[in-house]
């Protein structure tokens, strides 16, 4: 038996200090919706083995670009960086979307990435 602390959940790793704010926002829309997102999307699907969290987050970013969901994309851009993706890896994942999704969606995605990076530069010591 080891006394090693359990690894943080994928949800905690992705959301960081934003976790409660995100869950509160979802709960304000509908408490059941928040529970489905928390319990199924993150505590079930994201906890599956087979892909590391960085890869899952880069895929989530590409999928959210395809859906044109800027708020959710920003959350997952932050999550990809928190999961260990470099800025260059995130940029490459977004650029890969161009031939499949078109320039307008990818320009919008880069706008979200730029805003996130500017926020991080302004408050580098703030826990995300």
């Amino acid at each position: 038996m080891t006394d090693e602390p359990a690894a943080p959940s994928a949800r905690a790793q992705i959301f960081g200090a934003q976790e409660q704010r995100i869950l509160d926002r979802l709960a304000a829309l509908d408490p059941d919706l928040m529970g489905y997102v928390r319990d199924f999307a993150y505590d079930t699907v994201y906890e599956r083995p087979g892909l590391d969290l960085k890869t899952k987050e880069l895929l989530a970013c590409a999928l959210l670009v395809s859906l044109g969901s800027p708020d959710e994309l920003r959350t997952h851009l932050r999550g990809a960086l928190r999961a260990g993706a470099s800025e260059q890896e995130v940029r490459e994942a977004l650029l890969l979307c161009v031939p499949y999704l078109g320039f307008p969606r990818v320009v919008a995605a880069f706008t979200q990435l730029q805003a996130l990076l500017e926020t991080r530069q302004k408050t580098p010591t703030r826990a995300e």
Side-chain angles (χ1 to χ4, degrees), residues 117-128:
L117 294 173
E118 287 172 359
T119 299
R120 292 178 115 207
Q121 281 184 332
K122 290 177 187 175
T123 57
T125 58
R126 188 190 93 212
E128 291 185 275

Side-chain angles (χ1 to χ4, degrees), residues 21 38 56:
R21 181 192 60 78
R38 181 195 60 212
K56 290 175 185 178

Side-chain angles (χ1 to χ4, degrees), residues 10-16 42 46 53 57 75-76 78-79 82:
R11 179 169 33 94
Q13 289 180 57
I14 294 165
F15 294 160
Y42 290 98
Y46 261 85
L53 186 57
E57 280 298 276
T75 295
H76 287 278
R78 184 186 307 111
R82 289 182 52 78

Side-chain angles (χ1 to χ4, degrees), residues 2-3 5 8 12 23 33 35 38 52 56 75-76 79 84-85 87 98 101 103 105 110-111:
T2 65
D3 290 336
L23 294 176
L33 173 64
R38 181 195 60 212
D52 61 36
K56 290 175 185 178
T75 295
H76 287 278
E87 179 183 336
V98 171
L101 304 173
F103 285 105
R105 297 257 172 156
F110 270 94
T111 300

Side-chain angles (χ1 to χ4, degrees), residues 7 13 20 26 28 33 35 42 48 60 62 72 82 85 93 114:
Q13 289 180 57
Q20 195 57 53
L26 289 169
L33 173 64
Y42 290 98
R48 291 183 51 79
E72 292 80 3
R82 289 182 52 78
Q114 181 181 18

Side-chain angles (χ1 to χ4, degrees), residues 26-97:
L26 289 169
L29 295 172
D30 185 86
D32 289 336
L33 173 64
M34 183 277 297
Y36 296 148
V37 169
R38 181 195 60 212
D39 300 343
F40 178 69
Y42 290 98
D43 295 349
T44 300
V45 176
Y46 261 85
E47 293 295 339
R48 291 183 51 79
L51 294 173
D52 61 36
L53 186 57
K54 178 176 88 170
T55 302
K56 290 175 185 178
E57 280 298 276
L58 291 171
L59 284 166
C61 289
L63 292 166
L64 289 164
V65 171
S66 76
L67 292 171
S69 301
D71 293 339
E72 292 80 3
L73 175 60
R74 188 156 179 182
T75 295
H76 287 278
L77 289 169
R78 184 186 307 111
L81 294 168
R82 289 182 52 78
S86 68
E87 179 183 336
Q88 187 63 36
E89 288 172 317
V90 172
R91 289 177 176 279
E92 292 300 324
L94 297 179
L95 287 171
L96 187 62
C97 296

